[in-house]
C-alpha cells in the first residue's frame, strides 16, 4: 500500500485506529519526536477547468509532525489543528518506512478500514441523493 493511500485511510477513517497503531509502535520501539506537532499554512493549488491552467486558490491550515523510529523519519501532515493525529501519522509513516514487522500486519486492518470508510461515504451520498429534486418531473 502506498503512503498516500495509507494516509488517506487513516485520516478519513477512525482516529482511534491511528492511535492504536501508533501506540503499538511506541510500546515496542523508542520514538524520537524530531518536530513537535505545529501549525502551518500550505498553498492550495487548483486546476482551472477551461484553460487547464494552475492557480493558487488560497491557504489551508495544516498540522505537521516528524518522528523517528528505528532510524527512519516519518512525517504526519493533516488538515486543520489536529496535533495528536499528526503525531500518530508520523509514527505510522516511520514504521512503514522502516519495514517493521508490526507494519507488515497492518495492511489487512487498513483494507478493512478503507471498506468501512467507503460504505459510510456511499450511505452519506445515498442520503443526500434522496433530497435531490428532479426538475423534469415537476409541473411548472
Amino acid at each position: 500500500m502506498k503512503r498516500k493511500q495509507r494516509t488517506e485511510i487513516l485520516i478519513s477513517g477512525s482516529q482511534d485506529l491511528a492511535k492504536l497503531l501508533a501506540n503499538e509502535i511506541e510500546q515496542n520501539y523508542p520514538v524520537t519526536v524530531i518536530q513537535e506537532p505545529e501549525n502551518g499554512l500550505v498553498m492550495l493549488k487548483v486546476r482551472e477547468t477551461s484553460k487547464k491552467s494552475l492557480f493558487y486558490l488560497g491557504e489551508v491550515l495544516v498540522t505537521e509532525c516528524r518522528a523517528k523510529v528505528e532510524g527512519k523519519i516519518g512525517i504526519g501532515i493533516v488538515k486543520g489543528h489536529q496535533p495528536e493525529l499528526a503525531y500518530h501519522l508520523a509514527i505510522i509513516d516511520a514504521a512503514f518506512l522502516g519495514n517493521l514487522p508490526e507494519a507488515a500486519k497492518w495492511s489487512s486492518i487498513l483494507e478493512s478500514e478503507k471498506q468501512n470508510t467507503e460504505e459510510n461515504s456511499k450511505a452519506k451520498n445515498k442520503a443526500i441523493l434522496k433530497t435531490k429534486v428532479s426538475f423534469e418531473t415537476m409541473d411548472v
Side-chain angles (χ1 to χ4, degrees), residues 1-13 75 77 89 92-93 96-97 110-111 114:
M1 182 175 293
K2 294 188 178 186
R3 176 189 266 176
K4 180 179 178 181
Q5 185 181 22
R6 176 178 69 235
T7 305
E8 286 174 352
I9 292 168
L10 290 168
I11 289 173
S12 63
I75 186 168
I77 301 176
L89 290 175
I92 293 167
D93 188 43
F96 272 100
L97 290 174
L110 291 172
E111 283 296 328
K114 178 182 177 184

Side-chain angles (χ1 to χ4, degrees), residues 74-92:
I75 186 168
I77 301 176
V78 63
K79 182 176 67 173
H81 179 72
Q82 301 181 58
E84 190 173 305
L85 181 57
Y87 173 70
H88 294 149
L89 290 175
I91 293 172
I92 293 167

